[in-house]
Amino acid sequence: LQKLTLFWSILLTVISLPPAFSFLLGFGIQDSSTWVLSVILFSLTISIIIAKESPKYLATCLGLFAVLSFEYSFRIAMRLLAPPKMLSTLTKIGDMTETRNHSYSGHPFFHYLGKPGKRLSNNEGGFDGPFNKHGHIGKNFTKNKVKGKVRILAFGGSTTRSGYPYLLEKKLNFDKFQKYEVFNLGLDGYTSAHILSMFALKFQHWDADLIVLHTGWNERDLRNTNSAKQQLGYNAVFKSFSPVRPSDYFFIKSSFFYRSVRHWLGSNNYWASLEGAVLRPRSFENKNWEDLTELSPFRKNISTIIALAKLRNIKVILSTIPHKIEIENLDLEAQGVIKHIKQTNQILRDLAAKSKGKVFLLDLEKVFDQEMEAHYYDLGHLDKVGRQKKADSTANKILTILR
């Protein structure tokens, strides 16, 4: 019994050493816990050598080793057999148990920004670089514009963050006689209120020639609530940036088996998302998306951005959000979100029609037809082909305006 326990202990100690663990069993971000585990196992190995006359102790160690071996075997099986998308989801859930692994951090004026140098987890974007020093995706940029360049600021949520500004800059710079720079200022979950704060407090002073407002989807968080909460506006929906940690975080972090079973049983992993860090828990009164007064803050915010831009002599493009057209097979919630996007798109059309001078409409909802349906990977986010078409359409509009 002692020889079996000793052999098993030595084997697990070697496998648990961080280099071996990371290569064979690790998923996601590794920390010092594997060093701690290997030290504990080494200590047990020494104690087993000493505990010659203690069969109960040896049996206890064997039980612990059996549990650990099952966990390790499950990890190996998942690495070999599980679909990559499932592994990616489960890995992210484990990483997010530690708040330091979040890609975003709180900001006193802009709610939250990306952590400089941090790569966005599961970034689907065309530009897969880390966040720059300003907390946005893309190369670093400076306040003072290079003489002779046209500066364009692209604002929005994840449909902007996911890469089209990077492609837009490449497209525009095919021009041999005029050079352009495009800043990607889109962040996941950003609403018109976030964009207004960012533009008013910072980027209206950055010598922009033109801004693109590609927004509306995330205003859905203000919808389908009761009138009492609606009167509080964004304060009823958002909280200060504060990632939460589940009560069973130790088991989620440590055991891939526990994490997988928990996920397969449909446990809510809301805490692992950006929404869990920025949205207040709340219940919906209804889900019919009929009360258009809920979109009054959106209309007001966009109008204010337009007014500030005009004061700075900055041209504005209001860009509608394209989305799936075939919605018959979608669930009612998804159909409601599409309905909401159509409503915010119409508000952008109305504001463009009423604004005089320096405000232009780019109606991507109408540009993207049935042929583009296959290029959505969800309700409104696009694959590389779709992002390129969005960039090309935006470039054509910009060139028409500036020439």
Side-chain angles (χ1 to χ4, degrees):
L1 183 64
Q2 184 187 30
K3 289 181 179 180
L4 174 63
T5 310
L6 184 61
F7 171 77
W8 208 344
S9 178
I10 293 171
L11 178 62
L12 290 175
T13 301
V14 172
I15 295 175
S16 299
L17 289 170
F21 186 92
S22 180
F23 179 74
L24 295 172
L25 308 168
F27 293 96
I29 300 169
Q30 304 300 313
D31 56 22
S32 60
S33 59
T34 50
W35 280 111
V36 174
L37 178 61
S38 59
V39 169
I40 292 173
L41 287 170
F42 179 75
S43 300
L44 286 175
T45 302
I46 300 300
S47 67
I48 289 167
I49 296 174
I50 298 172
K52 293 181 179 180
E53 305 298 330
S54 181
K56 288 186 179 180
Y57 179 73
L58 295 177
T60 302
C61 289
L62 279 175
L64 293 173
F65 296 161
V67 172
L68 194 58
S69 297
F70 175 80
E71 169 70 22
Y72 284 5
S73 299
F74 182 81
R75 285 174 174 255
I76 292 173
M78 289 292 287
R79 185 184 284 274
L80 294 175
L81 302 175
K85 188 172 183 179
M86 179 187 293
L87 289 180
S88 177
T89 299
L90 292 171
T91 298
K92 181 181 179 182
I93 291 171
D95 288 345
M96 290 303 102
T97 56
E98 294 291 345
T99 56
R100 66 174 179 271
N101 293 333
H102 279 257
S103 300
Y104 294 95
S105 59
H107 191 278
F109 303 118
F110 308 140
H111 198 182
Y112 57 91
L113 293 171
K115 293 180 180 177
K118 180 81 173 179
R119 284 187 181 274
L120 190 62
S121 300
N122 301 325
N123 187 12
E124 299 278 359
F127 187 95
D128 195 26
F131 286 111
N132 58 36
K133 66 181 182 180
H134 298 285
H136 295 281
I137 292 290
K139 62 187 178 183
N140 279 316
F141 43 80
T142 58
K143 181 177 180 180
N144 297 322
K145 182 173 63 175
V146 176
K147 187 176 181 180
K149 275 192 175 183
V150 174
R151 174 170 285 185
I152 299 165
L153 309 182
F155 291 97
S158 56
T159 54
T160 295
R161 187 274 303 156
S162 59
Y164 95 83
Y166 169 71
L167 302 172
L168 172 61
E169 183 177 88
K170 290 179 66 176
K171 176 73 173 180
L172 289 171
N173 280 320
F174 280 121
D175 191 328
K176 296 181 180 179
F177 304 102
Q178 178 64 63
K179 293 302 175 186
Y180 300 81
E181 57 183 2
V182 181
F183 298 166
N184 186 343
L185 302 180
L187 288 174
D188 292 13
Y190 259 31
T191 66
S192 59
H194 295 92
I195 296 170
L196 173 57
S197 296
M198 186 172 291
F199 183 65
L201 298 177
K202 185 174 182 179
F203 286 107
Q204 68 162 318
H205 307 290
W206 279 51
D207 295 329
D209 297 289
L210 184 148
I211 63 173
V212 182
L213 302 179
H214 187 56
T215 184
W217 187 342
N218 293 324
E219 310 294 323
R220 72 186 187 280
D221 294 318
L222 273 71
R223 307 296 303 277
N224 301 318
T225 185
N226 58 55
S227 57
K229 283 189 176 182
Q230 183 60 34
Q231 291 173 0
L232 296 175
Y234 294 90
N235 289 333
V237 176
F238 293 100
K239 62 179 181 178
S240 59
F241 185 86
S242 52
V244 295
R245 176 180 277 180
S247 58
D248 57 345
Y249 83 95
F250 176 79
F251 299 102
I252 299 173
K253 175 186 175 183
S254 304
S255 172
F256 205 79
F257 174 74
Y258 179 85
R259 191 187 314 169
S260 302
V261 171
R262 188 181 188 278
H263 181 68
W264 291 332
L265 290 176
S267 296
N268 186 358
N269 295 315
Y270 183 71
W271 53 269
S273 65
L274 175 63
E275 288 83 358
V278 301
L279 292 176
R280 299 182 189 277
R282 70 186 184 100
S283 59
F284 292 97
E285 184 180 82
N286 58 65
K287 292 190 177 182
N288 58 25
W289 309 90
E290 294 291 347
D291 186 2
L292 295 181
T293 62
E294 294 171 335
L295 290 174
S296 297
F298 174 69
R299 184 186 294 273
K300 184 176 181 180
N301 291 337
I302 299 298
S303 298
T304 304
I305 295 170
I306 291 172
L308 289 173
K310 283 185 175 181
L311 289 174
R312 294 280 174 179
N313 201 32
I314 300 171
K315 297 178 176 65
V316 180
I317 292 179
L318 302 181
S319 175
T320 61
I321 295 178
H323 52 77
K324 275 187 171 293
I325 299 172
E326 299 175 356
I327 64 172
E328 293 78 11
N329 296 325
L330 299 177
D331 60 41
L332 292 177
E333 178 68 16
Q335 291 185 32
V337 173
I338 295 293
K339 183 177 181 179
H340 160 74
I341 294 173
K342 286 177 173 289
Q343 291 167 347
T344 56
N345 283 346
Q346 187 56 49
I347 289 174
L348 295 180
R349 293 188 190 100
D350 294 344
L351 290 173
K354 292 177 182 177
S355 300
K356 296 181 180 179
K358 299 188 184 300
V359 180
F360 306 88
L361 176 68
L362 172 60
D363 206 340
L364 290 177
E365 185 180 28
K366 294 182 178 179
V367 170
F368 279 69
D369 53 20
Q370 200 78 27
E371 294 181 1
M372 295 301 296
E373 193 75 5
H375 298 291
Y376 293 100
Y377 62 83
D378 62 12
L379 298 181
H381 292 92
L382 294 155
D383 64 11
K384 188 173 182 180
V385 173
R387 290 194 297 271
Q388 187 63 61
K389 183 175 178 65
K390 184 186 287 188
D392 292 345
S393 300
T394 308
N396 292 336
K397 186 69 176 182
I398 290 171
L399 293 175
T400 300
I401 293 169
L402 296 182
R403 290 175 180 173

